[in-house]
Amino acid sequence: MTTTETTTTAVDIATTKRADWQSDQEVRWCPGCGDYSILSALQFALPDMGIRREDTVVVGGIGCAARLPYYMNTYGIHGIHGRAPAIATGVALANPDLSVFVVGGDGDLLSIGGNHLLHALRRNINMTILLINNRIYGLTKGQYSPTSEQGKVTKSSPRGSEDSPLLPLSIALGADATFVARTHDMDRQHMMEVFKRAHAHPGAAFVEVLQNCNVFNNHAYESITAKANREGMIIPLRQGEPIRFGPDDSFGVVLDPRHGAVVMNTADVSEDELLVHNEARDHPSVAFALSRLSPNMDEPTPMGVFRAVDRPVYGSKPVETEPPGRQLISDLLHSGTTWDVD
Amino acid sequence: MSTAKSSVKPSEEIENVVIRLAGDSGDGMQLTGNQFTAVSALAGNDLATLPDFPAEIRAPAGTMAGVSAFQVQISSEDISHPGDKADVLVAMNPAALRSELSKVHSDATVIINTDEFGERELEKAGYESDPLDDDTLDGYYVIDVPMTSLTVTAVKELGAKRRDAERSKNFFALGLLCWMYSRNPDDVKDWIDERFASDDLIRRSNATAFDVGHAFGETTEQIPITHVVESADHPPGTYRNVNGNTALAWGMIAATQLSGLQSFLGSYPITPATDILHELSKHPAAAVRTFQAEDEIAAVTSAIGAAFAGDLAWTTTSGPGMALKGEAMGLAVSLELPLVIVNIQRGGPSTGLPTKTEQSDLFQAMYGRHGESPLPVIAARRPADCFECAIEAAQVALRYRTPVILLSDGYLGNSSEPWRIPDVADLPDLSVEFASELNHENADGSMAFWPYLRDEATLARPWAIPGTPGLEHRIGGIEKQDGTGDISYDSVNHQLMTDLRAEKIQRVADDLPPPEYTGDLDADVLLVGWGSTWGTIASAVERLRKEGILVAHLHLRYINPLPKEVGEILRSHRSVIVPELNMGQLSKMLRAEFLVDAQSLNKVSGLPFTVGEVEEAVRKVVHGDEGESE
Ligand code: SF4
């Protein structure tokens, strides 16, 4: 590779601040959009990730959330609708030393780009995928999305949508993703913790971020994420601990052979019946059961890391980096049968 | 069975011969044809091949749909096409005879595997009466050979089961042909030893079948004479045989090495382009990473990502895949990143004729994107030329920071020819300089990096790759402000950027040598071609001129931008004929661009033009309509 020398100043890893990760572009989401807090949580978390700006690439597809790369003072591509995981795959394979982030919405990554998402996950390509789920098409002004609840009334479904929604975490686990987590736009600390864990994970890390589109799908998650509701509606996942939540931990999660994971009143079950959270379970079935809790986002909803397992990272075997040049071409052209004419 | 000895029969020297092998797709006709080609190349002949595969992978055995054919012309002269009609047909079964007889001369030699002409086989081929008994073969010189039984008898002695023994019958045919055309049997035997080294029984079976076929030629009274095709008068050098897809893959490896970059190939399997992916996957040490993507769109978009990160990026496909890549090509035009998009064209639309050749994706290459999105289009003209074209496409892509479309086709991809191996010292240097410094001084004296600040000569923008401190920048498909690259919806800027993108591609013509323009330059008639029709058109021109008919030949390697001389050349001839394997795409382009009355000669039958068809079109113009047909 051509060596690159530079006279410009690199920012020291140890000393970056949030501002170092902000580009000079004016952020243009609707006032009050949940994307603002996601962007700032990411920018607040980056100084703790131990990476340099110049080694960071953020790739977006098309959609409100996919605009995020423009606001990051890193390398970035705003690509085409749905294809961000595929573009990011090329970036990650070309240079395995980079930290690659993919940011897209539910339409971008689960509708037009669903295929690429599955394959980036099952290959375990080294990238952090943030799926910003607002359950609506925002940029095109309010049509139902692949995560919208059935019966949703929008401009393109005036009589209520017929589609059943996809559950992003179930899809990721179905693709055997090695890191799967959920967070939400109302809790910066939680987002920062999850983003840092996701970035530190070798291979493909998938994070669903519940986001409020206050213009076209306002209050979509309010019953869960509003401060007043969190205690009763968010099930925090803590590694190694029995899964409990609610006032005085009065509820817990139990595995039930017929219904997967179910929420029970802890008064009705003994301590050792509670499911102990273990992200590192090799088999994805328990994580999958957890991902089916609150399918309509109106019941107690788990937050945190559902799964984190080790598997070989795709493309970690480097291709030859010191090409031997013209001799290699000559050897290739003379390989096999040749003959001389004098 | 001992190795066949040299013939005691008389032999006759001939200038060239066209041989067509046809059998069921399971009969190994492509292998046999390729091996006959290889030994002919070793004998110093010039040659050109035309593999003609069935589209169905598993058409029912013995049916017309399952016939696989291979044509090769070998010659002591320079040739550039596989021959119009064959002089010799080898028909392994009735379906092969029925489907291929129209492709041979009416007095051709027809070698028939009589063992396969039973009632059931005849019925499967749709023959109502036995062509060996009725008048079907009147006028042909027919050689009856019970190939299957002779092969089985000999091979069973080695301990092979009957079914397995039968499989060696194509080697019988190869042995017979090698005897008929005085090819060196040892060249074939060496190859058999190497190719089947892992299975001793198969190796010995094939070698035995080959010997039996060779000996049959020697002893049968049906073939009184052998033929010798002398070696062609090639310029000195080291030669090899190569087909277009392999040459293209090697060109990609060469471009990689010449650029000093790492290459990234994003590809999705599709006929007839997949062999390029296969070939590159074989050479992991050549600094080419192959990525078999989940679909055509991921193949091209991953390549775009790799280009952004500093790789020399490629994607290889065929027509339907090109259609899927359309939007991403637009992104690459907008991002102004180097990328080579290879289209091995096949018959369309839709699935069309996957295994057959066509040149009908020219318009798609030129205009198959939304918006104003010009990019360079280069077309290879012969199998070995695919090597150089790959290097050239990379050179243009890197120098102008643009996606480039390289067009080849199913015929070029699969057919082979002898190739004088180029001296690698003569290959161009493709090294690039990545941006390493801030390039713009702000009004306050501070410095900034502008990703769309262009090079004055080429209008290329700087290529600043991740990992370079200080040059962090964001690019995307939304229109950008000239220079800064910031998002811009400004109407004046959009016009400016559209003009700049077009001008950049036009400037590629500044580097181009004049196009290949040969024949009688003062002739009334000009033949204009592009891509794989080159060999046929060149042969037609040569034959017509021998006859005393004046004709000129213009070949276009660059279709976008066109070399600067093209308009003047077109206007200097009274008649312009454009033979194309499509319904007239280049001719329409030339008419629109230069307002000349370019007449198109079209064919979309899945096969290349014959030389006769091109000659005929010229004769019609020269003599009016009374041109004689072949
Ligand atoms: S439309 Fe919705 S998601 Fe998009 S920017 Fe506005 S509030 Fe945010």
Side-chain angles (χ1 to χ4, degrees):
Chain A
M1 281 213 141
T2 311
T3 51
T4 311
E5 286 182 36
T6 178
T7 55
T8 56
T9 42
V11 177
D12 199 313
I13 290 179
T15 64
T16 63
K17 302 177 298 297
R18 175 198 182 194
D20 293 316
W21 299 89
Q22 292 173 309
S23 78
D24 60 356
Q25 301 293 300
E26 187 194 336
V27 184
R28 290 209 181 173
W29 287 306
C30 303
C33 173
D35 287 341
Y36 285 96
S37 64
I38 299 169
L39 173 65
S40 66
L42 182 61
Q43 288 166 333
F44 272 116
L46 275 157
D48 293 340
M49 293 186 194
I51 53 175
R52 298 175 195 275
R53 281 191 322 212
E54 65 266 26
D55 295 332
T56 307
V57 181
V58 186
V59 183
I62 296 291
C64 294
R67 288 279 182 104
L68 188 140
Y70 284 120
Y71 310 132
M72 300 287 295
N73 191 3
T74 63
Y75 285 90
I77 305 178
H78 181 231
I80 43 180
H81 202 20
R83 317 305 170 196
I87 295 172
T89 293
V91 174
L93 293 180
N95 185 349
D97 298 333
L98 300 174
S99 289
V100 181
F101 292 85
V102 168
V103 183
D106 36 310
D108 199 24
L109 290 174
L110 282 175
S111 205
I112 189 167
N115 192 30
H116 307 304
L117 177 67
L118 294 182
H119 291 277
L121 292 174
R122 60 112 178 163
R123 289 189 183 106
N124 204 28
I125 292 182
N126 199 17
M127 61 174 76
T128 304
I129 300 171
L130 308 182
L131 186 149
I132 315 298
N133 185 6
N134 57 20
R135 310 186 81 191
I136 197 80
Y137 283 103
L139 193 66
T140 51
K141 301 193 176 2
Q143 300 78 27
Y144 62 100
S145 89
T147 56
S148 293
E149 61 276 21
Q150 201 167 35
K152 185 159 194 80
V153 174
T154 70
K155 284 178 208 149
S156 57
S157 56
R159 287 174 296 280
S161 88
E162 274 187 83
D163 296 23
S164 317
L166 289 173
L167 301 180
L169 298 184
S170 300
I171 297 289
L173 289 161
D176 214 358
T178 55
F179 183 96
V180 176
R182 178 190 281 143
T183 183
H184 67 93
D185 61 356
M186 299 290 284
D187 187 342
R188 179 190 294 164
Q189 272 311 319
H190 193 264
M191 281 192 283
M192 287 171 60
E193 288 317 308
V194 169
F195 293 166
K196 285 189 264 183
R197 285 276 323 267
H199 173 264
H201 176 77
F206 178 84
V207 182
E208 177 188 23
V209 189
L210 307 182
Q211 175 242 341
N212 191 42
C213 168
N214 55 310
V215 175
F216 296 108
N217 198 19
N218 204 9
H219 311 306
Y221 304 110
E222 201 171 57
S223 66
I224 302 164
T225 61
K227 261 213 170 95
N229 303 334
R230 284 182 208 166
E231 190 181 27
M233 291 294 279
I234 287 183
I235 309 175
L237 299 177
R238 297 189 192 92
Q239 174 64 359
E241 291 182 22
I243 302 176
R244 273 196 254 251
F245 68 103
D248 304 321
D249 279 348
S250 49
F251 293 95
V253 174
V254 173
L255 279 186
D256 172 287
R258 282 179 51 215
H259 301 103
V262 288
V263 170
M264 301 278 284
N265 195 316
T266 42
D268 301 333
V269 287
S270 67
E271 173 77 18
D272 54 3
E273 280 176 88
L274 290 178
L275 174 63
V276 175
H277 186 53
N278 181 7
E279 313 159 345
R281 271 188 198 95
D282 197 47
H283 202 280
S285 56
V286 174
F288 190 83
L290 289 172
S291 79
R292 308 304 293 184
L293 283 170
S294 186
N296 294 313
M297 290 292 164
D298 53 4
E299 295 167 74
T301 302
M303 289 285 166
V305 178
F306 287 59
R307 185 178 202 223
V309 296
D310 277 338
R311 237 183 41 215
V313 177
Y314 184 100
S316 45
K317 263 187 257 146
V319 295
E320 203 78 21
T321 47
E322 280 175 65
R326 287 174 195 255
Q327 189 55 45
L328 182 143
I329 307 171
S330 182
D331 293 348
L332 178 66
L333 300 188
H334 288 86
S335 62
T337 308
T338 64
W339 65 96
D340 291 320
V341 174
D342 312 310
Chain B
M1 177 79 38
S2 67
T3 304
K5 288 166 217 77
S6 63
S7 160
V8 287
K9 292 185 186 172
S11 79
E12 181 190 35
E13 205 172 293
I14 51 172
E15 192 178 288
N16 66 336
V17 64
V18 178
I19 296 171
R20 197 167 174 94
L21 293 145
D24 203 59
S25 31
D27 284 345
M29 290 298 100
Q30 304 299 326
L31 187 79
T32 313
N34 276 315
Q35 201 42 39
F36 185 75
T37 303
V39 290
S40 297
L42 281 177
N45 295 141
D46 200 13
L47 54 88
T49 69
L50 174 62
D52 196 0
F53 309 103
E56 316 278 342
I57 294 214
R58 286 193 193 282
T63 61
M64 300 272 281
V67 172
S68 175
F70 184 97
Q71 183 164 314
V72 56
Q73 170 161 225
I74 56 177
S75 177
S76 57
E77 298 292 310
D78 244 0
I79 50 162
S80 44
H81 68 97
D84 289 4
K85 291 201 160 188
D87 304 303
V88 179
L89 172 67
V90 179
M92 301 297 282
N93 65 15
L97 182 68
R98 181 143 183 254
S99 91
E100 303 303 308
L101 199 60
S102 62
K103 293 161 193 159
V104 307
H105 289 297
S106 52
D107 59 350
T109 299
V110 179
I111 302 171
I112 296 212
N113 178 12
T114 50
D115 286 331
E116 304 295 328
F117 277 64
E119 222 165 274
R120 276 195 50 214
E121 287 86 2
L122 290 170
E123 197 183 310
K124 273 198 238 166
Y127 273 123
E128 276 163 18
S129 65
D130 188 345
L132 305 185
D133 295 336
D134 62 19
D135 59 2
T136 306
L137 291 168
D138 285 1
Y140 298 92
Y141 184 75
V142 179
I143 303 176
D144 294 330
V145 191
M147 268 186 230
T148 311
S149 49
L150 287 174
T151 302
V152 168
T153 311
V155 170
K156 264 176 75 179
E157 279 175 31
L158 305 173
K161 293 200 198 81
R162 190 189 157 85
R163 284 230 126 259
D164 296 335
E166 272 185 20
R167 291 224 179 98
S168 294
K169 63 179 182 289
N170 55 325
F171 284 86
F172 182 107
L174 182 59
L176 179 56
L177 282 174
C178 285
W179 183 82
M180 288 172 68
Y181 293 96
S182 319
R183 312 278 80 155
N184 182 357
D186 293 339
D187 289 340
V188 180
K189 302 290 282 288
D190 290 348
W191 170 79
I192 291 176
D193 285 347
E194 201 180 303
R195 163 95 192 212
F196 302 101
S198 61
D199 190 321
D200 197 52
L201 184 58
I202 294 180
R203 182 184 64 75
R204 287 189 297 137
S205 302
N206 289 340
T208 302
F210 177 82
D211 285 339
V212 178
H214 201 273
F216 179 86
E218 223 177 309
T219 47
T220 180
E221 283 168 12
Q222 296 185 79
I223 313 174
I225 185 169
T226 72
H227 290 99
V228 179
V229 181
E230 282 298 320
S231 60
D233 204 7
H234 285 131
T238 302
Y239 284 76
R240 67 169 306 120
N241 232 8
V242 75
N243 69 37
N245 279 346
T246 306
L248 210 154
W250 289 358
M252 291 165 71
I253 291 176
T256 307
Q257 298 296 326
L258 297 167
S259 67
L261 301 173
Q262 176 179 293
S263 267
F264 179 95
L265 168 67
S267 191
Y268 186 76
I270 184 168
T271 303
T274 317
D275 285 339
I276 301 172
L277 171 64
H278 293 167
E279 180 60 28
L280 287 165
S281 305
K282 274 195 233 163
H283 302 284
V288 181
R289 182 188 285 288
T290 55
F291 172 64
Q292 183 177 310
E294 57 272 25
D295 60 27
E296 295 281 359
I297 297 171
V300 62
T301 48
S302 61
I304 290 172
F308 180 74
D311 273 7
L312 172 53
W314 312 77
T315 185
T316 49
T317 188
S318 186
M322 286 298 276
L324 287 165
K325 293 181 200 292
E327 186 194 12
M329 285 189 235
L331 177 67
V333 168
S334 177
L335 296 183
E336 301 191 41
L337 283 169
L339 168 69
V340 181
I341 302 141
V342 179
N343 179 0
I344 313 297
Q345 300 166 92
R346 67 189 216 188
S350 190
T351 304
L353 302 175
T355 60
K356 307 288 179 185
T357 200
E358 216 162 273
Q359 295 182 300
S360 46
D361 297 346
L362 182 63
F363 276 175
Q364 184 194 43
M366 289 294 301
Y367 314 118
R369 293 164 293 284
H370 67 287
E372 292 290 340
S373 50
L375 46 72
V377 178
I378 303 176
R381 64 179 182 160
R382 57 192 299 173
D385 187 40
C386 293
F387 177 80
E388 270 170 44
C389 280
I391 296 174
E392 251 180 82
Q395 192 171 28
V396 173
L398 291 168
R399 181 164 155 79
Y400 292 88
R401 313 271 201 261
T402 177
V404 172
I405 291 180
L406 170 53
L407 294 175
S408 169
D409 57 39
Y411 163 58
L412 284 184
N414 288 315
S415 63
S416 59
E417 64 174 355
W419 177 35
R420 184 156 70 112
I421 299 172
D423 185 344
V424 293
D426 298 338
L427 299 177
D429 178 13
L430 302 192
S431 59
V432 291
E433 245 177 85
F434 293 124
S436 58
E437 290 179 5
L438 303 176
N439 59 0
H440 174 78
E441 189 176 333
N442 296 320
D444 64 2
S446 64
M447 295 296 291
F449 178 66
W450 281 17
Y452 279 77
L453 198 64
R454 295 169 189 280
D455 179 90
E456 275 179 25
T458 60
L459 297 180
R461 70 177 195 86
W463 193 5
I465 64 167
T468 318
L471 305 193
E472 295 85 2
H473 64 282
R474 280 67 51 195
I475 54 176
I478 302 180
E479 186 60 284
K480 293 151 280 286
Q481 190 179 46
D482 181 37
T484 64
D486 292 343
I487 290 179
S488 165
Y489 297 110
D490 179 74
S491 57
V492 175
N493 177 72
H494 180 52
Q495 179 75 57
L496 173 70
M497 290 296 274
T498 304
D499 293 343
L500 281 169
R501 287 187 287 260
E503 168 66 14
K504 182 172 84 160
I505 303 310
Q506 282 311 311
R507 289 203 189 173
V508 173
D510 293 347
D511 298 342
L512 297 183
E516 194 182 295
Y517 179 38
T518 54
D520 306 297
L521 305 191
D522 54 353
D524 277 353
V525 183
L526 172 72
L527 284 166
V528 185
W530 67 278
S532 69
T533 51
W534 173 80
T536 312
I537 297 173
S539 304
V541 167
E542 201 185 303
R543 282 207 221 161
L544 289 163
R545 293 181 70 209
K546 270 189 194 154
E547 257 176 55
I549 294 176
L550 299 184
V551 57
H553 179 196
L554 173 66
H555 179 78
L556 299 176
R557 181 185 191 77
Y558 280 78
I559 297 155
N560 198 38
L562 285 166
K564 294 176 174 170
E565 296 82 355
V566 170
E568 207 185 305
I569 295 173
L570 292 176
R571 287 190 201 98
S572 67
H573 296 272
R574 198 171 300 160
S575 296
V576 176
I577 306 172
V578 187
E580 289 178 274
L581 299 174
N582 59 41
M583 294 308 284
Q585 301 186 8
L586 179 66
S587 75
K588 286 194 185 78
M589 281 174 58
L590 297 178
R591 293 172 79 98
E593 182 75 25
F594 301 108
L595 299 176
V596 293
D597 184 20
Q599 295 295 320
S600 61
L601 173 63
N602 310 133
K603 181 174 180 180
V604 282
S605 66
L607 289 168
F609 280 113
T610 63
V611 179
E613 286 165 344
V614 177
E615 280 180 79
E616 173 81 5
V618 175
R619 280 203 199 93
K620 266 193 187 153
V621 171
V622 174
H623 303 306
D625 271 342
E626 329 109 67
E628 1 147 7
S629 63
E630 237 209 346

